[in-house]
Amino acid sequence: MGRRNPLTFDDLLADARDVAALLMARRQTLAVAESSTGGLISAALLAVPGASAFYLGGGVIYTPRARHRLLDLKREEVRGLRGATEAYAIVLAERAQSRFKARWAIGETGATGPSGNPYGDAPGHCCHAVAGPGEPVAATLETGDADRLRNMLLFSRACLRLLHAEIGRTPA
């Protein structure tokens, strides 16, 4: 088996700088609701000088209690919606966008490893979404890897890259 190229926080920071440059140039704002990335998306964005110009806030929505306390999402509002799906990631993104009154928001949920999640997803499964001025978009990433930290970095990178693409697609 060949050796993987290591992914580092510096790699993630490069993606965050690209997103930050777009948001600052457009004077647009962002909120983040992340789960399996454990705050890495927010950490990368906040490491960019001038982050207060675009980053409104966020939270690690790791449990149903956090979902309720931080996003005021009640059990009835997500009844019948399975976690770690694109639909659930969209709910997280839209609620973060609404609560922070942000132009853009990221929602992320998944299974980092070393084992899968209670829903039956294998480690390396991530669903992420971006809510913006148009319809929300979502994607699924399957890394096929059980390395928890590597998955956290890969998931965070996928979220930032989806956001960057959506901002670039949308007229200022």
Side-chain angles (χ1 to χ4, degrees):
M1 179 184 261
R3 193 147 164 84
R4 296 186 294 225
N5 289 335
L7 182 64
T8 68
F9 187 76
D10 286 340
D11 298 318
L12 191 57
L13 186 55
D15 291 322
R17 284 186 186 115
D18 291 343
V19 165
L22 275 177
L23 290 170
M24 287 192 278
R26 293 171 173 230
R27 296 183 180 179
Q28 295 176 347
T29 55
L30 173 68
V32 178
E34 55 191 308
S35 179
S36 60
T37 53
L40 280 175
I41 298 167
S42 293
L45 291 163
L46 290 169
V48 177
S52 61
F54 64 87
Y55 186 89
L56 296 179
V60 178
I61 314 303
Y62 204 67
T63 64
R65 176 179 259 171
R67 182 180 64 218
H68 174 69
R69 299 261 190 235
L70 299 173
L71 294 180
D72 195 30
L73 263 171
K74 307 214 178 0
R75 188 181 315 252
E76 309 81 60
E77 294 178 89
V78 292
R79 183 167 284 130
L81 191 60
R82 185 174 82 76
T85 61
E86 289 182 13
Y88 183 67
I90 288 171
V91 168
L92 294 177
E94 289 180 327
R95 183 54 66 98
Q97 180 186 35
S98 168
R99 294 211 24 110
F100 285 95
K101 295 180 178 24
R103 173 75 173 216
W104 298 96
I106 293 171
E108 178 277 328
T109 179
T112 53
S115 59
N117 62 24
Y119 312 111
D121 300 306
H125 171 83
C126 174
C127 293
H128 48 290
V130 170
E135 289 296 312
V137 295
T140 299
L141 172 66
E142 301 285 352
T143 68
D145 195 339
D147 183 322
R148 187 174 183 86
L149 180 56
R150 181 170 171 74
N151 282 332
M152 290 171 76
L153 289 163
L154 288 168
F155 295 179
S156 298
R157 173 176 257 188
C159 291
L160 290 170
R161 289 184 170 183
L162 181 62
L163 175 62
H164 188 275
E166 287 307 303
I167 295 169
R169 245 189 285 281
T170 305

